[in-house]
Amino acid sequence: MTTTVSAPVPSATVVPAAPTEAPAVATKLSVPARDFRPALDAGLRAVDIRTQDRRNATGAIHGALALAPLEALDRLTPGTTESLRSATADARWLLISDDGDDAEWLAWHLQARGVTGAMFLAGGHEALRRHQVNGDLADGELAMIADHER
């Protein structure tokens, strides 16, 4: 007698309405797209980990630090030879990928490396676009764009 086991049918990605929490430390790990600007106002630093091709195709996130996805873990982890100067254990990163999945993975890994302020944007850049939200440009950035357009 043989038993046939069918593989589970993959379901569509569902973006949770409430932030994801890590039960071990009860720390919120995600920010819904609708809370993007308040999160930045509260001190989180947006980090865009999409590829440059994706940023070119779907638009930049104004004011975000842009990192290559394969370099982001080492660049945001304190104490590595590749670390950014601002990569500290108390850094507050808001990681943004295309759909949020890669940013979630990165947030978990940074948390495991002791970066307790690492969070991800639920739904990623796609959710920001659906909510028609983007970052802010600083006055210096606006002046640079204006000078470039002359």
Side-chain angles (χ1 to χ4, degrees):
M1 178 171 141
T2 59
T3 304
T4 304
V5 178
S6 60
V9 177
S11 62
T13 300
V14 177
V15 177
T20 304
E21 294 187 3
V25 292
T27 300
K28 291 181 182 176
L29 288 177
S30 71
V31 172
R34 69 178 178 277
D35 294 339
F36 176 67
R37 286 218 174 105
L40 298 181
D41 291 343
L44 271 76
R45 173 78 194 270
V47 181
D48 184 351
I49 62 166
R50 297 175 298 144
T51 64
Q52 187 60 49
D53 286 344
R54 292 297 298 157
R55 284 192 282 278
N56 292 344
T58 60
I61 300 169
H62 301 153
L65 174 64
L67 293 176
L70 296 177
E71 298 173 3
L73 184 59
D74 287 335
R75 305 285 285 161
L76 298 176
T77 299
T80 72
T81 58
E82 302 298 318
S83 298
L84 298 173
R85 256 186 287 175
S86 55
T88 61
D90 60 347
R92 299 184 62 214
W93 306 121
L94 179 56
L95 309 163
I96 306 164
S97 59
D98 286 311
D99 60 6
D101 292 345
D102 290 338
E104 179 180 6
W105 177 92
L106 181 58
W108 280 105
H109 281 268
L110 287 169
Q111 289 270 338
R113 290 180 175 198
V115 184
T116 58
M119 300 177 74
F120 69 96
L121 187 75
H125 186 252
E126 293 170 5
L128 285 180
R129 289 183 60 179
R130 280 194 307 275
H131 284 81
Q132 298 180 341
V133 175
N134 203 323
D136 293 320
L137 291 174
D139 291 339
E141 293 168 316
L142 289 173
M144 180 179 63
I145 292 168
D147 287 344
H148 180 72
E149 290 178 347
R150 287 184 194 175

